[in-house]
Amino acid sequence: MKLKCERESLQSILHRVQGIVSSRTAIPILANVMLEAREGEISLTTTDLDVGIRCTCGAEVEEAGATTIPVRRFSGIVKELNLPEITIKVSEENVLEIRHGRSYFKMLGLSVDDFPKLPDFSGKESFDVEQGVFKDMLRKTSYAVSQDETRYALSGVLLEIKEDMIVVVGTDGRRLALIEKQGEFAREFKKNVIIPGKAVNELLRIMGDEGTMSISFLPNQAGFRIGATLLTTRLIDAHFPNYTQVVPGEAKEKVVLNREEFLSALRRAALLTSERSNSVKMQFSKRGLEITAVSPEIGEAKEEIDLAYEGTEMSIAFNPYYIMECLRNLDDEDIIFEFTDPASPGVIKNEQSFLYVIMPMRVT
Amino acid sequence: MQTITVLPESVANKIAAGEVIERPASVVKELVENSIDSGAKTITVEIEGGGLSLIAVYDDGCGMSRGDALLSIERHATSKIRSANDLGDIVTLGFRGEALPSIAAVSRFEMLTRDEGSLAGTRIKMAGGRLLDVLEEARPSGTTVWVRSLFYNTPVRKKFLRSARTERNHIIRAVVLLALSHGNITFRLVDSGKEVVYSPARESLRDRVVDLLGADFADHCLPVRHARDGVIVEGYAGNTGATRSTRRDQYVFVNSRPVASPEILRGIAGGYRTLLPGGRHAVALVFVETGTAATDVNVHPAKREVRFSKPALVEGVVAEAISRTLRPGTPFGTRESGAPYEAPAAVTEGPPTKEELTAPPVPAVAGEQAEMPVERSMRVVAQMKGLYIVCEAEEGLVIIDQHAAHERVLYERYVRDYRAGAVHVQSFLIPQVVELGPEESSIISRHIGGLAAIGYDIKPFGDRSFAVGAVPAHVSDADVTTLVRDMVAGMEEGPGRHAVSGTVEERLIAASCRSAVKRGDVLEPAHLQKLVDELLGCERPSSCPHGRPTMWARSWDELDNSFKR
């Protein structure tokens, strides 16, 4: 294998693929990136067996071939070489050589035969979606995903495709973020899968705001093609809870709040919560909204927000961080906050089809 | 098809013997218990070859007539109970009427006995359960039993025995345990002609302990005395400097009977909570009196186990007894200080409150400190190596580890704050369904109310399933199934005491460790003095919450001695 390519494009695709490589892996070859040189292009592949990424860029290929080499060191070399073009040579014995000017590197690789193959999506049915739209959907839901590995079904986002609607849901069992997009997918295509949190984070890193991407499926795999990049992921084989059951019906009270104002008031009040007293009390009355945090061992905070409120006076306790995470990931000027009573879930909505359900807290 | 046949008595006896007579030490235990029950004042045990060649027990008890002696070797023949009603009120060590026939079934057995009323003694010879000979022979009143060639006719059991040395150690422990609980009897154990244990009848428990466990053991122990709701706990609790890697040196007795009781061992561990480093166990000698009605000893053929009618109460009183004893925490002369004795029934047990349920079981009764006759002031002399605080106390020199001391101060403050605060409970969107085993389900069903009080909303959800609707916010991302399971496991004795408070306790300990001053922090003299004062104000100043010591002390006398003054 022998090729010449632009350093900058090689560096940028290396950056894309190396994110999923763990520095501590029991299988040494998983710390490697697979290099494949074909007519006019080079492609790089990494995988942690759950998620795999392949990225391609143009190259002058003199001799086709393939090998695998440790990705961190390779990426370090490419980054530090201060030249517009790089020449790479790999011997039959998987020894990689880079010679340039007065620099010379030799690295020992491993044979591609042992490198896990990415699933093959060729010929599978796929559907297209705007990158910006899908990225926004993932951003507004992925933070709610459970970080607890034992709650397997909740450790990813639900991606539901039905007729001409796409729904993404993330939940950790205490709050749930849901977003729907309608009418933007021409094709009839039904699907209901859970995408692991790690794959979602990689997608958010790779996706841009412009252009379309295509998504295709195998029975237990999903593939996302974004330009010259393919991300594949194992799907979570578990039963996602029935989220429609969680979405409350008509709420009794409804207020409109300025998102920034609400967020910063919560941020300040949260300063006086503690590990033990981690709730804020939201009190709605004729005077407006009062947010208080009380930690007996630390002190207390009170924030007031002007609000024309005519409903029943009540106070409900919530974990402020759950509300803050939601508000931070929205872009709207105002949001709608709905509630019924101190024991029922609160709901945050925006003008689009976003919905956030959050369970209240109780102080005994 | 195999047909069912009734086993010949000789086989049945061997099977029964297997339950009662596990090893030579069981023979010693059964025979010595018989001697104790017969009112003996002196009991001598002789062994050879780890008890396999010979076990002989001589006593000066009431002995037996010829007729009784012949009856005693029949199964279920006993003088100790008359009817099933008596099982509720057993005051003797034995009662099953199994010991002699069981021993006789697996050995070459001889017994010589005479009661006051008989002119001559009776000698009975048996082998493998068969009666060989009955003779008349002279003997002062009392009984002697010789057991030779133990297990000669049960090769399987014999194969599983350990070395003679190990068996000998088991015998020594069996004799020591019985001697500890019967101070008015003289005990001797002779191994191949050499006296191994000699403990003359003693007035005080401490003398007994010195005889049997050594002066060193007694010197490291504080006397324990506590009673509540009809449970009396007495004995000795080792100070926190004397620890072992196993629980072997925790001797437990219930109504004068040596037993293995998980409740009491848990009570001991509870009393030492946060005082011992991980994996270390205190030495302790604990006598629990509950009255015969509150215990059932008819659980195990060898009577090694007992059932309490109120296991949680027993565990709680033992923990209280130990922690009260240890609380004084003076670095000097642990031997002199004792726990105040509290008359029985001085404290009554009400329904558990939220504080009791959520709080780690560290007794915090601020008002009681007044009665503690403990040196409560020390003058800071210097700080050394950015870690050690040198202090002058009235009784001697004290060096304090500033990090450990601050940890202890903070930990106790956090515990107080924790109890003062409310529980914040986070509900779930969809209740998590937890499936439990039948036993677990019945335990949890009984504690649903108690669990709700500490922030766990759990509702029955069909057969053996439970829906968990809310958990305290501080258990945030733990797996609810595991959590509920763990809680159930520790809940036999009352909701929340173990798993829940354990989690909280770990967090509080971690928090106090993070916030405490570190090695290398150079502190102002005023700050040092404040820290020392606060440490002395703690309930348990002598160790940090991880169980490491906070201070090292030498009395002026010891210093004088070191300088040969």
Side-chain angles (χ1 to χ4, degrees), chain A residues 17 118 142 183 190 250 255 287-288 314 324 327 333 342 354:
Chain A
V17 298
L118 294 196
S142 59
K190 278 202 175 176
E250 185 87 8
V255 294
R287 295 188 307 279
M314 72 175 87
M324 281 151 61
L327 297 180
E333 176 86 28
F354 171 80

Side-chain angles (χ1 to χ4, degrees), chain A residues 219-247:
Chain A
N220 57 350
Q221 292 275 343
F224 301 84
R225 182 163 285 288
I226 304 155
T229 306
L230 170 72
L231 182 142
T232 68
T233 176
R234 178 187 53 83
L235 296 171
I236 292 179
D237 181 20
H239 178 69
F240 198 83
N242 178 4
Y243 63 89
T244 51
Q245 177 196 326
V246 170
V247 178

Side-chain angles (χ1 to χ4, degrees), chain A residues 146-148 150-151 171-176 241-243 245-246 275-279 294 296-297 318-319 322 343 345 357-364, chain B residues 354 417-418 420-430 432 452-457 470-480 482 507-508 511 514:
Chain A
S146 173
Q147 302 302 315
D148 188 357
T150 52
R151 303 207 64 189
T171 180
D172 65 0
R174 294 165 170 82
R175 36 63 187 276
L176 175 143
N242 178 4
Y243 63 89
Q245 177 196 326
V246 170
E275 211 182 353
R276 256 192 55 67
S277 309
N278 65 345
S279 68
V294 180
E297 68 278 24
F318 290 105
N319 180 332
Y322 287 173
V357 185
I358 169 172
M359 289 308 284
M361 293 184 70
R362 173 165 63 80
V363 181
T364 58
Chain B
K354 191 185 89 199
D417 288 346
Y418 181 82
V423 183
H424 292 237
V425 182
Q426 172 72 58
S427 315
F428 291 125
L429 287 160
I430 303 172
Q432 290 202 52
I454 57 169
Y456 291 83
D457 281 357
V471 295
H474 61 79
V475 299
S476 52
D477 260 4
D479 176 19
V480 172
T482 324
R507 284 163 159 271
L508 296 180
R514 273 200 306 275

